[in-house]
Amino acid sequence: MLGAIWAQSLDGVIGDGTEMPWHLPEDLKHFKEITLGHPIIMGRRTWESLPTRPLPGRTNHVLSSREPGAWSRGAYVSPDLPDLEADAWILGGAQVYEATIDEVDVIERTLIDVHPDLPASRAVYAPRIDDEFELVWEGNWETSKSDGLRYKFQRFERKQ
Ligand SMILES: NC(=O)c1ccc[n+]([C@@H]2O[C@H](COP(=O)([O-])OP(=O)(O)OC[C@H]3O[C@@H](n4cnc5c(N)ncnc54)[C@H](OP(=O)(O)O)[C@@H]3O)[C@@H](O)[C@H]2O)c1
């Protein structure tokens, strides 16, 4: 099983090119519960955006054309999607979601009721989920205890 996991605003923004333009501890907890113990695969820019790297308790894989080095310590670097035996999760960002969505079986998406005020040149967007996928589970809208943001979790699976 190959999964993709992301959080997006209602209009599809996942980042500003450097980081996620919100702070939602409940989503970070959800992300950890889903990915812990599994290999994770991310683009070089997402790797560089991590506050702590590698992410602990997960084998970190970074997609990059660059040679591994000090920048990649703690991760495996490869120019292509690694062929992994175990269930693995794609962590983004936008370039990597776009490049891998056709291989993905499952999508875990967090919708956040927020409209980041970003110049168009900086906004980075989630891929479109086409009708190859179906929504198989959706939580209720919840309100963050941290700063009142509303959010909900969704799971999509590739149709059989
Ligand atoms: N909201 C969320 O859930 C979420 C999750 C993850 C990231 N983000 C956000 O997304 C933004 C980063 O996304 P991004 O699209 O700019 O960058 P990205 O996808 O993280 O990384 C792009 C880099 O990955 C490598 N790469 C991309 N596609 C590849 C492929 N098919 N094969 C091999 N290597 C490939 C290239 O590295 P080289 O240039 O080294 O070759 C490319 O420059 C940040 O704002 C981050 O905060 C948000």
Side-chain angles (χ1 to χ4, degrees):
M1 189 285 299
L2 183 64
I5 182 166
W6 70 78
Q8 65 167 76
S9 69
L10 291 181
D11 41 7
V13 171
I14 63 164
D16 64 5
T18 314
E19 58 182 9
M20 289 189 271
W22 50 74
H23 174 66
L24 186 56
E26 291 89 345
D27 184 54
L28 298 178
K29 179 167 174 276
H30 174 75
F31 170 83
K32 188 173 177 184
E33 283 168 1
I34 301 264
T35 60
L36 202 63
H38 297 285
I40 53 175
I41 303 159
M42 71 198 94
R44 193 253 310 155
R45 294 185 62 189
T46 292
W47 165 258
E48 288 174 343
S49 78
L50 295 177
T52 307
R53 52 183 190 254
L55 285 181
R58 289 146 278 196
T59 309
N60 288 225
H61 296 266
V62 179
L63 295 183
S64 176
S65 56
R66 297 184 179 181
E67 290 299 318
W71 69 273
S72 63
R73 190 164 296 127
Y76 295 97
V77 177
S78 59
D80 301 301
L81 194 60
D83 195 11
L84 300 170
E85 296 284 310
D87 292 353
W89 288 95
I90 305 278
L91 299 201
Q95 285 185 35
V96 168
Y97 292 133
E98 288 293 348
T100 59
I101 190 117
D102 289 344
E103 318 279 325
V104 160
D105 309 298
V106 174
I107 297 169
E108 290 279 351
R109 177 169 82 166
T110 307
L111 280 183
I112 306 176
D113 185 6
V114 66
H115 297 276
D117 186 18
L118 292 173
S121 58
R122 285 184 55 205
V124 176
Y125 288 91
R128 199 173 76 83
I129 300 178
D130 66 22
D131 53 15
E132 298 273 298
F133 289 93
E134 60 187 332
L135 181 67
V136 295
W137 182 84
E138 179 169 53
N140 294 322
W141 281 104
E142 310 275 352
T143 301
S144 173
K145 292 191 172 55
S146 166
D147 55 11
L149 276 183
R150 293 173 73 244
Y151 64 94
K152 72 173 165 185
F153 300 124
Q154 299 176 315
R155 180 181 174 93
F156 297 82
E157 290 178 3
R158 186 173 290 281
K159 290 177 187 166
Q160 295 302 317

